[in-house]
Amino acid sequence: MLSKKTKYAFHALTYLGKQEARKPVLISEISEKTKVPKKFLEAILLDLRKAGMLTSKMGKGGGYYLRMDPEEIKLAEVIRMFNGPIALLPCVSLNYYEPCDECVDEETCGLHAIMLEVRDETLKIVANKTLKDILSAEG
Amino acid sequence: MLSKKTKYAFHALTYLGKQEARKPVLISEISEKTKVPKKFLEAILLDLRKAGMLTSKMGKGGGYYLRMDPEEIKLAEVIRMFNGPIALLPCVSLNYYEPCDECVDEETCGLHAIMLEVRDETLKIVANKTLKDILSAEG
DNA sequence: TATTTATTCTACCGATTTAGTAGATTATTG
DNA sequence: CAATAATCTACTAAATCGGTAGAATAAATA
């Protein structure tokens, strides 16, 4: 399951994606409309900005807005950022690889082989879906 | 990511699946061979038995052995048992459904729609893979 | 330049989950 | 009855999750 933080990130991105122009939206507006706790949302938006998906402006007239195009923002990237690896086991993770303590040899580990397959199939799904798909699905 | 408990469950099932006859294997043997902490393994085996995947015998000559055929033991079932829902959000879970607090209407929620798709695709993978696939992949 | 606006940074907090361990109990075999 | 081996109850330490408080910094404007 995705953490609330991850879900909140998607809600925030979706809200910003629905804005016609790319002009700053206040954290408090996003918080009210998406019902994400404001202080919690701050940290999320900051992370999204650091990842290059959003831009921010401080001071009056400031706020957050999309920096990337919706079709560039992949579900997989957002999930990795807030939820961690897509893979089900560290030993088959592309971005967070770690060997298993108990495993003598990955080559002959049946679980490893199957989890590799699962990872590849899962990536096909979440790496090809983007914020644009969420926006299109929205009423 | 899967919890260690879930991974351990797969290791234990795999070890029992490699046994030719269906005769009892000691917890301590499974623990030593799979390197899963014995006391932790006890709880896992108990859950697998309660789910009908294993049978146990107490006393001398006792132990655990497979009750179901390897092709009947689906990855999805093991994951649900030890790791929880397959779906990424409670609002798209078949077995653990819960509505979102912030969601006014699931019908028009784009995230909901996309996560439904992701769940369906994911299920196609993990509900069709079984212990037999793990065993076949093993040396 | 002072004030207001609004993001950013640092630091905390309670509750839950994870990954275990210890030890008594119950069932089976011989 | 003695030995064996699963079962049950009850802890525990550490990490993660979800969230809050408040000070610091940056930008606009009067």
Side-chain angles (χ1 to χ4, degrees), chain A residues 27 42 46 49 56 58 64:
Chain A
I27 296 180
E42 282 183 15
L46 213 48
R49 198 211 60 181
S56 67
M58 281 177 126
Y64 280 96

Side-chain angles (χ1 to χ4, degrees), chain B residues 63-91:
Chain B
Y64 279 96
Y65 55 98
L66 279 193
R67 178 182 153 81
M68 290 184 175
D69 289 327
E71 57 260 49
E72 290 178 305
I73 298 177
K74 297 173 181 171
L75 296 206
E77 286 313 309
V78 179
I79 292 175
R80 282 208 189 92
M81 195 182 330
F82 294 103
N83 218 67
I86 304 293
L88 292 180
L89 292 178
C91 68

